[in-house]
Amino acid sequence: MKYLFTLTLLAFTTLVFAQRPEGGRPDVTITGKVLEAETNVPLEYATVSFTNSEGKVVTGGITDPNGNYSIEVAAGVYDVKFEFISFETKVLPGQKLFKSTTLPTQALAIDSQSLDEVIVRAETTEVQVRLDKKIYNIGKDLTTSGATVSDALSNVPSVTVDVDGAIALRGNENVRILINGRPSAIAGFGSVDALSQLPADAIERVEVITSPSARYDAEGTAGILNIILRKEKTLGLNGSIQTNVGDPERYGITGNINLRTDKFNIFNTTGYSKRTSPGNAFFENRFLSDDVTNPLIEETREFDRNRGGFNTNLGIEYFLTEKTSVTASGFLRLSDNSSGTDNFTDEFDTNGDLAISRTRLEREIEDDKTYQLSLNSITKFDESGHELTSAFQYAVNEETELSTITEFNTFPTDVTLPAEDITQIEDQTEYLAQVDYVRPIGENAQFEFGYRGNFEETVTDYTLLEQEEAGGAFIRDDGLSNIFTYKEDVHAIYTQYGNKFGDFSFLAGLRYENTRQQGAVDAVVEDSDLGTNLDFDNKTDGLFPTLNLTYEFNDRENLTLGYNRRINRPRGRFINPFPSRSSEANIFQGNPDLVPSFASAYDIGYLKRWDKVTLTSSIYYQYETDSFERIQEDTGLVTANGIPIIRTLPINLSTNQRYGAEMGVLYNPKKWLRLNFSANAFLFETEGEFNGVDYGASNFSFFTRGSAKVTLPYKIDWQTNVFYRGPRNNAQTETKGFLFTNLAFSKDILNDNATIAFNVSDVFNSSKRQSLTQTDSFVSDSEFQFRVRSFNLAFTYRFNQKKQRSRGNRGGGDDDGDFEG
């Protein structure tokens, strides 16, 4: 709050000294730009003042969100001073300003001597708008104390995290997740599970990129979530340690340490966590065919997931020269997970009487090891942003899952059924090479080009052993056991150019991507047994234009327009032709005939700031061809117990269209009260058919969230977050809406060097997905709760730091550094 007060004083001071000097000399307009020296990020609210020969400040002003200033001053000779709190002051002496002039761009460096006195605002999530993104500085969100990155994302406007952890942007789950601007093993290999094992405290900001520029991957039809992780910029040794404990059983500890000198910066984040997540589900399947002996099946599931994880990263940034630095880092994550699922199934005959009761117990142990080595370099040729960056990453993930399934009837008689043993070993390797060149042209223009190559290989060894009779020997099921090797290589080149003419800015770019996807199966079965080709080699070329426009009405109001073309590539699981099963009667089978889908997206945004209110809004439209849809169908097969087998299959539908609008309001009416509200509504229309079935559908849905933070007596902070997701549907399934509420309290202790926080997640235990699926052959009614209400107590201690970081990164530049501790 002191920082907010300081900014207010700066603005007030500007009004005080913005007076006309004596005399009749004509006014001239002085323009320019102020950047942060280390990152070339624009400095908003930097002060520019003009002092005459008598040492009197005659006028001045502050920079806008892009670091620009435009100030009228009477013609004359002045010393021009550039200031920003916690940064070294710069002075241009004796400037002869007798006509309108653009002064050289000024880059202010951090003043290490004054950092101890600085406390930044960063109390709530802030929003900044750039040409191609919205930036949310996470700040002090009490509900994420002791939480994970996945939990923190659920509080970001435009983003939703489903009850089973699926992340969506504007209701679309095809979102690309980057870490510091790049694909990374830190975020997981094609899975968001890894984000649930990283501490939320690692996040500095989240960039919501709904209209990505050509610099970014074209993958992800919804857009990109770019998670920027922290790296301390304060000289000396500093860090923090956080511990937490909760119910259901959870505990963890995370430490951050940073040692920075003028020549190098060493950073490390290390953490361990253990978490139990109980959940439950209920399914009622009613079969409409007269051939089914027991047409009504009710299944109840109870499951516990125990996740233990250790993760650490260690890196060093070395400044070779004043212009060039090299960063080397390594990341390691070890996971030891186990889960147990109890399935209780009741089958009813045509008269509605109980015919069979069955219990199926699934026990799974999973060991997961991920490591990543990275080497980055950056050369800043000058302070205007002229730079060359390069990056190389090598990442490996090794995962082993061991599952045992036992089954027995409990009615009408007790009968032990044959058991199953499943072993799945998955090894993934990824290489990434990237180079980017940025060249400013003049004061406002910038040219950029670059190359990125991603090379991935995944080998999945799936073995199913079954007993022919209970208690007998286990025999390999050659119909399902297989080794599937999947390779994906993507080469991309891009170029883009941006410029600003007065109040109008634009950024135009073009990206070319060449994709090769190969699959090979080593198995006993033939292609005809699965009705598809087991080996494939698909190549795709694509051009992806982007255009982003901004018109600034003033420094507090702007209008943006964005267009981009995107691609959605089928991942390994979606094209693996061998079925995997979550239960005996429900299987998922990939489709190697899937082709990439392409989408064109348009976005119009509006931003308006008042003294206490910030409004963001946008309307958007997306048109996608060959879009993916997961359908359910009766395979015509039955289990050994006579239960029909239902298959989930991804297919290409012809088209889908999405129309939407969103709005966000940040309101700080009092020092002790901060309010945040956002809403998103969209209409989703699909067209297409498969196997003679029309899967066309129209779906209107919405989600909204609100947050209130109150400072109580004795400096206790209280925060409440409420999220509601409205009902939605596709061609086969209707899903009800649900409410999710978080509550948190926080108190600073030990002279503000430590914080204790308590939060409750899902206060009303209402985060449940309730769905109804209807087809010509069956009706399925289900309720699924991924995890129940939880309580968490967290303690954080900081050394050589204030309550928040000494300064946040207020800019919107692409921080393409590596994992930052």
Side-chain angles (χ1 to χ4, degrees), residues 545-559:
T546 64
L547 178 64
N548 291 284
L549 310 173
T550 298
Y551 182 77
E552 298 178 350
F553 300 100
N554 51 59
D555 61 355
R556 291 189 168 197
E557 184 179 15
N558 65 49
L559 184 70

Side-chain angles (χ1 to χ4, degrees), residues 78-119:
Y78 300 97
D79 292 342
V80 185
K81 181 184 293 186
F82 302 88
E83 299 175 283
F84 190 81
I85 187 168
S86 82
F87 284 70
E88 295 177 353
T89 298
K90 271 194 173 183
V91 178
L92 296 179
Q95 299 297 301
K96 299 177 181 179
L97 305 177
F98 295 102
K99 62 180 180 179
S100 295
T101 304
T102 297
L103 295 176
T105 297
Q106 301 299 306
L108 304 187
I110 297 175
D111 183 0
S112 59
Q113 301 300 316
S114 65
L115 285 175
D116 290 341
E117 304 304 322
V118 179
I119 301 177

Side-chain angles (χ1 to χ4, degrees), residues 496-524:
Q496 62 184 21
Y497 174 78
N499 206 338
K500 182 175 183 179
F501 304 96
D503 296 326
F504 174 76
S505 304
F506 76 89
L507 180 63
L510 181 65
R511 187 179 185 92
Y512 166 77
E513 292 193 353
N514 171 266
T515 305
R516 183 177 186 181
Q517 295 176 301
Q518 298 173 281
V521 175
D522 181 3
V524 174

Side-chain angles (χ1 to χ4, degrees), residues 380-430:
K380 298 181 180 181
F381 300 103
D382 54 38
E383 296 181 348
S384 69
H386 183 199
E387 62 185 35
L388 176 69
T389 61
S390 63
F392 175 78
Q393 286 181 184
Y394 169 69
V396 173
N397 176 250
E398 300 171 353
E399 180 181 288
T400 300
E401 295 181 7
L402 303 176
S403 301
T404 301
I405 301 174
T406 57
E407 192 170 11
F408 47 90
N409 289 343
T410 58
F411 182 85
T413 58
D414 292 336
V415 179
T416 301
L417 302 175
E420 300 178 7
D421 274 343
I422 300 173
T423 301
Q424 178 169 299
I425 302 174
E426 189 170 83
D427 294 329
Q428 298 172 286
T429 305
E430 179 180 14

Side-chain angles (χ1 to χ4, degrees), residues 281-285 297-301 780-784:
F282 173 78
F283 301 85
E284 181 182 276
N285 296 329
I297 299 176
E298 293 182 351
E299 180 181 342
T300 301
R301 294 184 192 173
S780 178
D781 196 356
S782 65
E783 179 179 288
F784 180 80

Side-chain angles (χ1 to χ4, degrees), residues 154-198:
S154 66
N155 290 337
V156 174
S158 303
V159 179
T160 56
V161 181
D162 209 346
V163 294
D164 52 1
I167 296 173
L169 179 58
R170 291 176 167 175
N172 187 347
E173 292 184 6
N174 183 226
V175 55
R176 181 70 156 166
I177 297 179
L178 304 178
I179 301 292
N180 298 329
R182 300 189 186 93
S184 175
I186 298 171
F189 287 84
S191 169
V192 298
D193 290 344
L195 298 178
S196 65
Q197 300 182 41
L198 290 176

